[in-house]
Amino acid sequence: MKILDFRVRPPFKSFMDCEVYDTPSMVAWAKRFGVPLGKSAVEKSLEIFWQETEQANIEKVVIAGNLRKPVGVKNQDVNEFAVLYPDKVLGAPCIDPLSPAALDEIEKYVVNGACKAIMMEPGYLDEPLLADDERIFPVYEFCQDKKIPVLLSVGGFCGPNVSFNDPMQIDNVAARFADLKIAVCHACWPYTAEICHVAMNREFVYLAPDMYVFNCPGADDYIRAVNYLIPEKMIYGSAYPIFSLEESIKFYRHCGIHEERFEDLFYNNAAAFFEL
């Protein structure tokens, strides 16, 4: 079975400046969620990373920039990684919707670059925004017109407080931009049942709960959604390097998800999102 991993931060350039590559932080996150680290993450080895993807039958990985302070992942590094590994990598630059250069960045890295989608983390901006803030609408409209998928980090620690995880903001965006493909990274955790309802009702809303399936309160809602309610909308992601690529897959395979859902969860739904 082939796998598309929707949430990966590889050991490459500015990715390694992020907090998740601080070894004590990695160890702490892995312990909290009960999933071990992989060798490539500990050794910060790109060579071992690719070996691990091959061993785990991971055919493609999704990588994204971020604008988090004090350091983030540079969009040029995301694009370069996609250029270096075009058959294995789907890149998404992180866009600041309040920047005058926002649409130019999308033109540069997606329309004319190697990337296939954009990422936005509105709750992480210097002025934190909800995803349905009207100041973001020009970016949504541009992406809808250009048929560019949008990844939104909404859930977990993606804002200054839990109100920034409210699924209503996703419902509002999907209602206003009905043809825009949206993947909700972290799937609005802990509002698990509510975001599953949104994904059921909105044609192009997909959920990538990634790390919040691992031993989290509310994870059973995602698992039931895969099995019954929205099997065509749920997408697998490992949250590497916080968790081992192989062990993350193993967890998903043994957490109660029905085997007949594996092909859609691990590959087909993400492939549909990207129109591969």
Side-chain angles (χ1 to χ4, degrees):
M1 180 183 66
K2 59 186 179 180
I3 294 171
L4 195 163
D5 191 332
F6 208 81
R7 188 73 173 182
V8 167
R9 285 154 290 192
F12 181 76
K13 292 195 172 181
S14 58
F15 284 95
M16 298 176 68
D17 296 328
C18 295
E19 182 186 5
V20 292
Y21 271 100
D22 173 68
T23 300
S25 295
M26 281 197 289
V27 171
W29 279 108
K31 182 179 180 180
R32 184 177 294 275
F33 285 83
V35 181
L37 295 169
K39 182 179 179 181
S40 64
V42 174
E43 298 190 11
K44 300 175 175 57
S45 168
L46 186 58
E47 180 181 359
I48 298 174
F49 167 78
W50 286 124
Q51 291 172 0
E52 290 174 350
T53 63
E54 185 173 352
Q55 291 165 3
N57 293 320
I58 298 171
E59 290 204 353
K60 297 181 186 296
V61 298
V62 177
I63 66 168
N66 72 58
L67 303 174
R68 302 177 197 179
K69 302 294 176 64
V71 293
V73 175
K74 297 176 181 177
N75 287 338
Q76 58 262 40
D77 293 345
V78 173
N79 192 74
E80 181 180 348
F81 200 67
V83 169
L84 290 171
Y85 306 100
D87 296 329
K88 297 180 179 181
V89 173
L90 300 163
C94 194
I95 302 301
D96 178 353
L98 300 182
S99 168
L103 301 187
D104 292 336
E105 287 273 292
I106 302 172
E107 286 273 5
K108 178 179 179 179
Y109 292 115
V110 184
V111 177
N112 299 314
C115 294
K116 304 300 183 184
I118 70 163
M119 165 67 85
M120 284 194 289
E121 298 184 317
Y124 269 122
L125 298 172
D126 290 338
E127 180 186 351
L129 304 178
L130 294 172
D132 59 355
D133 191 296
E134 291 188 1
R135 288 171 288 180
I136 308 178
F137 283 11
V139 173
Y140 293 137
E141 184 172 9
F142 183 86
C143 289
Q144 181 174 253
D145 290 345
K146 298 286 187 179
K147 300 186 184 304
I148 297 171
V150 174
L151 283 61
L152 286 172
S153 278
V154 177
F157 301 96
C158 291
N161 59 57
V162 75
S163 72
F164 285 80
N165 300 347
D166 188 344
M168 194 66 211
Q169 59 188 307
I170 305 299
D171 203 25
N172 290 338
V173 173
R176 174 66 174 78
F177 300 95
D179 295 323
L180 178 66
K181 284 191 172 181
I182 301 168
V184 188
C185 301
H186 301 324
C188 290
W189 189 84
Y191 297 105
T192 54
E194 293 88 344
I195 191 59
C196 290
H197 175 75
V198 172
M200 180 178 66
N201 286 339
R202 301 300 180 185
E203 182 178 3
F204 295 121
V205 173
Y206 293 74
L207 306 182
D210 51 82
M211 62 195 289
Y212 293 103
V213 171
F214 301 136
N215 299 313
C216 279
D220 286 349
D221 289 335
Y222 297 135
I223 293 167
R224 285 195 293 267
V226 174
N227 287 336
Y228 300 107
L229 191 68
I230 45 171
E232 77 284 7
K233 294 294 192 71
M234 302 298 290
I235 294 175
Y236 167 75
S238 67
Y240 175 95
I242 298 173
F243 311 121
S244 155
L245 294 169
E246 183 176 4
E247 293 296 326
S248 296
I249 293 167
K250 186 182 297 184
F251 186 96
Y252 266 74
R253 289 175 67 98
H254 294 93
C255 69
I257 296 171
H258 298 166
E259 187 172 357
E260 62 266 26
R261 302 302 189 196
F262 285 171
E263 289 189 3
D264 287 342
L265 171 69
F266 283 113
Y267 191 88
N268 292 340
N269 294 344
F273 178 77
F274 282 106
E275 298 186 5
L276 300 182

